Amino acid sequence: MSALTDKRMQTQARWAWAAVLAVLLAAPFIGLYPVFMMKALCFAIFAVAFNLLLGFTGLLSFGHAAYLGAAAYFTGWLVKEAGFSPELGVLVGTLGAGLIGLVVGLIAIRRQGIYFAMITLAMAQMVYFVWLQAPFTGGEDGLQGVARGTLFGVLPLASDTTMYYVVLAIFVAVFLAVIRIVHSPYGQVLKAIRENEPRAISLGYDVDKYKLLAFVLSTTIAGLAGSLKTLVLGFATLSDAHWSLSGEVVLMTLLGGMGTFAGPVIGAFTIIGLQNYLADRVGSWVTVIIGAIFVLCVLGFRRGFVGELLAWQKRRQRSD
């Protein structure tokens, strides 16, 4: 009965994702603003990266904005000042974020729980101070006027529609890659570490190496989100590396459903959509409203949107 239930749920999930992909492909032609959709997709990539670390490995980082911000600045400066092509700017920005993640991971991975979280926050604040003081970042003004350029020398990205489909293609590739990672033997070890780390150690796994690789993968993907965001919006600012953004990605992941594939994507679209809708209506109160939503999420449905939906489906199909 359980095998049949799982098969039905997998079939329903495939149809649901096909419908979502169809909507995303048609988005520019059905009245959805391309720049908003691109921003939401960039944060969806960011949330997917964070979920790989928290949802599937069990590591809570309070400083993930540092890697998004680092890649944003790297890409912005290279494209604007050094004349790099957009693909090279994104590549270097992404790898730069991964390198910073490696350094931070080598320090933080030695600790667990709240100590790990606090080390990531402290290191992120150090990185934020660098971007605040470094002359090439523009300080509080940030890097402005970053041109999108021409992808591979043949595809101009000035058009919002063209840029949207590039971002969408990258999002789909990242999403499928994370699914592949989680379903691989390596991903199964990550789940084992999340569920019972002492037992994973007793089975002979070098837990620190597995966690370090997961941390670097997560920070690298977060960097990709930051690089794309800079190209989409044309600027990189201190808000990209601020600790509050690290809190927002935690909210996106928990709101959508930690440890699920669709959850972080839905959470990212929900939070970015609320910010975009409420910004002109309630001003700074948008932070209070999003905080209230977070409290309701924790108290009312701890599994998040997708987690609660999956649990409800399982209960219904078992009763049938």
Side-chain angles (χ1 to χ4, degrees):
M1 187 63 162
S2 60
L4 182 59
T5 299
D6 289 341
K7 188 174 181 180
R8 287 177 181 174
M9 293 182 65
Q10 290 174 3
T11 302
Q12 292 173 354
R14 290 191 186 98
W15 280 108
W17 279 116
V20 170
L21 182 59
V23 171
L24 290 175
L25 287 171
F29 307 104
I30 59 176
L32 296 176
Y33 188 40
V35 174
F36 163 74
M37 293 297 293
M38 286 187 283
K39 182 180 178 181
L41 285 172
C42 289
F43 278 101
I45 293 173
F46 186 32
V48 166
F50 183 78
N51 187 51
L52 177 62
L53 188 65
L54 177 62
F56 295 109
T57 312
L59 296 176
L60 174 59
S61 168
F62 277 149
H64 242 51
Y67 316 108
L68 182 144
Y73 276 116
F74 288 152
T75 299
W77 186 86
L78 290 172
V79 172
K80 180 182 178 181
E81 304 294 341
F84 276 41
S85 61
E87 66 275 7
L88 283 179
V90 169
L91 177 62
V92 175
T94 302
L95 294 178
L99 183 60
I100 295 174
L102 175 61
V103 174
V104 174
L106 287 170
I107 299 171
I109 217 72
R110 302 171 184 271
R111 295 292 180 263
Q112 299 177 352
I114 191 63
Y115 302 104
F116 172 86
M118 289 298 101
I119 290 174
T120 59
L121 176 59
M123 298 296 289
Q125 288 299 98
M126 293 171 62
V127 173
Y128 175 84
F129 184 77
V130 170
W131 304 139
L132 177 63
Q133 298 295 326
F136 74 91
T137 63
E140 294 183 355
D141 295 328
L143 281 171
Q144 307 289 334
V146 179
R148 292 177 181 175
T150 304
L151 189 65
F152 299 114
V154 296
L155 185 62
L157 299 178
S159 167
D160 287 341
T161 301
T162 303
M163 187 70 199
Y164 169 76
Y165 283 111
V166 171
V167 173
L168 177 60
I170 294 174
F171 164 75
V172 172
V174 168
F175 188 80
L176 293 177
V178 169
I179 291 177
R180 182 68 186 91
I181 290 171
V182 172
H183 285 156
S184 68
Y186 168 74
Q188 300 307 307
V189 175
L190 292 183
K191 291 181 181 179
I193 294 171
R194 178 194 64 190
E195 297 298 330
N196 193 329
E197 185 172 333
R199 184 177 182 183
I201 294 173
S202 70
L203 292 174
Y205 293 109
D206 191 338
V207 168
D208 284 348
K209 287 185 178 179
Y210 279 90
K211 292 195 295 185
L212 178 60
L213 180 55
F215 190 83
V216 174
L217 285 172
S218 179
T219 57
T220 301
I221 298 172
L224 175 60
S227 294
L228 289 176
K229 181 176 175 289
T230 296
L231 287 184
V232 168
L233 300 180
F235 58 81
T237 64
L238 286 173
S239 62
D240 294 331
H242 196 260
W243 63 266
S244 60
L245 185 58
S246 297
E248 286 183 15
V249 76
V250 175
L251 174 57
M252 292 173 187
T253 304
L254 294 180
L255 186 65
M258 182 180 67
T260 66
F261 294 113
V265 179
I266 294 175
F269 271 83
T270 301
I271 296 301
I272 298 303
L274 283 173
Q275 289 177 343
N276 186 72
Y277 179 78
L278 296 174
D280 296 333
R281 292 168 173 79
V282 297
S284 59
W285 280 91
V286 65
T287 305
V288 177
I289 294 173
I290 291 177
I293 293 173
F294 177 67
V295 172
L296 290 174
C297 173
V298 172
L299 295 178
F301 43 102
R302 297 184 180 182
R303 297 187 185 95
F305 294 147
V306 176
E308 293 292 345
L309 177 61
L310 292 176
W312 174 76
Q313 282 184 323
K314 288 181 179 179
R315 289 194 300 268
R316 190 188 68 173
Q317 292 186 2
R318 284 171 182 169
S319 64
D320 293 342

